[in-house]
Amino acid sequence: MLKIGHRGASAHFPENTLLAFKKAIDMGADGVECDVYRCASGEIVVIHDRTLKRTTGTSGYVARKTLKALKKLDAGNGETIPTLTELLDALTPKATVFIEIKATAAAKPTAKIITEYAEKHKVPYERMPVISFNAAHLKLVKSVNKDICVGLTPPVRASSLNTRFIAKAKNAGMWSVNPCIKVLDKDFVRAAHDAGLKIFTWTANTKPDIAKAYALGVDGVMGDWPEKL
């Protein structure tokens, strides 16, 4: 089972920074999960929110700032907002980088970056899976390169974890499904695996949730404390 640092080792270090990502691997994680947007100058940058307030203390939207402007901001502990290219340079192919698309504009550019790393740098697609709550985002990714591994995250409610959702994911060419650990159960895990889908669950930070993930036999678990996984 893959141990995945959620936004890096985000319980200890500023989330979605190169420091947090590298420390997650140092703490024993097999990979990390990150979030991406497209900024105003076209680069794909790693940040969770569409606004800058929570993580940098400044005003404005990520999509309206150039990379040059974003790089001047402090994302915590003197860290800057990284680009997806910087993250892949730092961790692949040793570690798996789960890339969550947060906005439509980021989908195709992200797919192009992944394709470049697969073709030029020989990074396996399984090391750069793309995930999203939005199936349309993943469809755009697949339109650029059908070989990219994509995973659909269901809404955070128990009613979404059913055979209809699994069939939807399989028919859409998904590689994985990524349910919240709080609503995950053995029937969903069994059905998803029977459909040939991998399961990566989030966010397991407590001992009961981590034990539950192992007991259910998921393919990977995301947590803010990588060392606990």
Side-chain angles (χ1 to χ4, degrees), residues 16-187:
N16 276 319
T17 61
L18 291 181
L19 175 63
F21 294 130
K22 291 176 180 177
K23 289 295 186 179
I25 303 305
D26 291 344
M27 291 178 175
D30 303 299
V32 299
E33 180 269 349
C34 72
D35 309 280
V36 298
Y37 284 88
R38 182 182 182 273
C39 68
S41 51
E43 294 86 359
I44 298 300
V45 293
V46 180
I47 186 170
H48 181 271
D49 299 355
R50 64 185 183 125
T51 59
L52 297 160
K53 182 64 177 178
R54 183 176 63 86
T55 55
T56 71
T58 59
S59 61
Y61 292 87
V62 176
R64 297 179 184 174
K65 300 286 186 179
T66 65
L67 180 62
K68 183 178 180 180
L70 291 173
K71 282 294 187 180
K72 294 179 180 179
L73 304 178
D74 186 343
N77 292 4
E79 290 289 303
T80 60
I81 297 171
T83 64
L84 177 59
T85 297
E86 289 171 336
L87 174 55
L88 294 178
D89 280 344
L91 295 192
T92 58
K94 177 183 177 182
T96 300
V97 178
F98 286 78
I99 306 163
E100 181 171 347
I101 302 290
K102 304 300 286 187
T104 302
K108 287 188 175 182
T110 296
K112 291 176 181 177
I113 291 171
I114 292 170
T115 299
E116 177 183 356
Y117 273 79
E119 294 179 352
K120 294 184 178 180
H121 303 291
K122 308 303 180 185
V123 179
Y125 287 111
E126 292 81 3
R127 295 287 192 182
M128 303 175 289
V130 179
I131 60 178
S132 179
F133 284 91
N134 191 328
H137 291 167
L138 301 176
K139 184 177 180 180
L140 287 172
V141 169
K142 295 290 273 187
S143 74
V144 173
N145 185 342
K146 62 180 180 58
D147 294 325
I148 295 175
C149 298
V150 296
L152 186 60
T153 303
V156 188
R157 59 178 185 269
S159 61
S160 68
L161 300 188
N162 53 38
T163 55
R164 183 177 297 177
F165 175 82
I166 292 171
K168 174 185 175 182
K170 184 175 178 61
N171 291 337
M174 295 297 120
W175 176 69
S176 73
V177 287
N178 317 302
C180 176
I181 187 65
K182 298 298 185 184
V183 295
L184 187 60
D185 60 33
K186 63 181 180 180
D187 292 332

